[in-house]
Amino acid sequence: MKDEVLKIKSNSLEEIKRCKTLQELNDCKVKYLGKKGELTTVLRSMGNLSTEERPIIGSLVNQIRDELNFSFEEKQKELEKEELLIKLKTENIDVTEPSKKINLGSLHPITQIIDEVSEVFLGMGYKIADGPEVEKSIYNFDKLNTPPDHPARDIQDTFYITDDIVLRSQTSPVQARVMEEQKPPIKIICPGTVYRSDNVDSTHSPVFHQVEGLVIDKNISMTDLKGTLEMFAKKCLGENTKIRFRPHHFPFTEPSAEADVSCFVCGGKGCRVCKNEGWIELLGCGMVHPNVLKNCGIDPEEYSGFAFGFGVERIAMAKFGIEDMRLLFENDIRFLKQF
Ligand code: DAH
């Protein structure tokens, strides 16, 4: 029995030495010291020994088990060290390696146009104003000289939240808010989202965008309006852009006009974008109606001003050659990526 135990000892020490990986070492440990391991089996069979032999073999086996455990531990440390060294050698991190490409989004065409327009007006000394999209109808209509029976107030055109609160149908209410809050001189634009109860088709959407402009000061006249809009058209749509004014009616301006620009796609010769007319309808404008000034606490005897408002989608569509407005709102990345 003693010889057998010593043989197990020398065999296992030999094997420990030969182990090259932690896995091999672990297998080896199971083979000798595991539940069914060789040394454990010897301990289990000690019942067969004589009473004299039993304590001698018993203490020998225990001693060998301790020695083996020590050897296993030492070998384990050695192998762990080796594996760490190999890892350090092979898994080095190159901190100068370029990182993985991140897919950045891009500005939506509507945002691009609003940014461009804002840039032009900021350059002319305008400030950017803001107002609520859920608006009191008194600002959306009444203060803007839009009488209660005006067709624009019709429930068919405007989204009513309550009798007195609407989703603003235009950015013009910001004019009234600014005039109430600030003393002239006033020079603002207000880009923003507006809502109308229109059915969706290739040129209509119930949600769209406008840019409003307002200038109030002493001695502001129609020539200031024309000069400003001409400058804006040239800067935004190209130096050769021409602008023309047609009489029109808006409740909040008097006189009122609509302004067209020479088609910035074909230069006025006629094309699909301008429907062969050479001109594209751009915006509504006029001299701020004295009633509006009064409604907002500004003396029309002392001050005058002009205002204008235009749709952003129309400019984006003409500029980018987009034929269906729905594309601007579907947010298909394959479409948006092009701009
Ligand atoms: N609010 C008008 C609309 O939505 C556009 C407009 C016309 C704005 C004339 C103005 C203006 O400020 O003076 O159709």
Side-chain angles (χ1 to χ4, degrees), residues 237-255:
L237 307 171
E239 278 305 317
N240 298 323
T241 309
K242 290 193 229 12
I243 189 161
R244 75 175 183 191
F245 292 80
R246 286 177 286 106
H248 200 78
H249 170 78
F250 295 105
F252 28 86
T253 42
E254 181 59 37

Side-chain angles (χ1 to χ4, degrees), residues 162-177:
T162 67
D163 283 349
D164 312 326
I165 298 177
V166 300
L167 293 184
R168 68 178 179 195
S169 60
Q170 48 187 356
T171 40
S172 306
V174 181
Q175 287 187 29
R177 288 187 171 271

Side-chain angles (χ1 to χ4, degrees), residues 88-147:
L88 285 175
K89 257 190 208 152
T90 54
E91 294 182 11
N92 50 353
I93 296 167
D94 179 0
V95 291
T96 65
E97 190 178 348
S99 61
K100 279 197 193 124
K101 203 173 151 224
I102 298 169
N103 269 331
L104 274 185
S106 58
L107 292 178
H108 190 282
I110 301 275
T111 310
Q112 289 183 37
I113 298 291
I114 289 178
D115 285 357
E116 232 176 84
V117 169
S118 302
E119 206 56 49
V120 169
F121 281 102
L122 286 170
M124 292 196 270
Y126 284 67
K127 294 214 161 69
I128 304 219
D130 203 1
E133 288 172 26
V134 179
E135 179 60 285
K136 292 180 177 156
S137 50
I138 199 173
Y139 282 102
N140 199 68
F141 296 124
D142 302 73
K143 286 179 192 267
L144 297 173
N145 198 35
T146 310

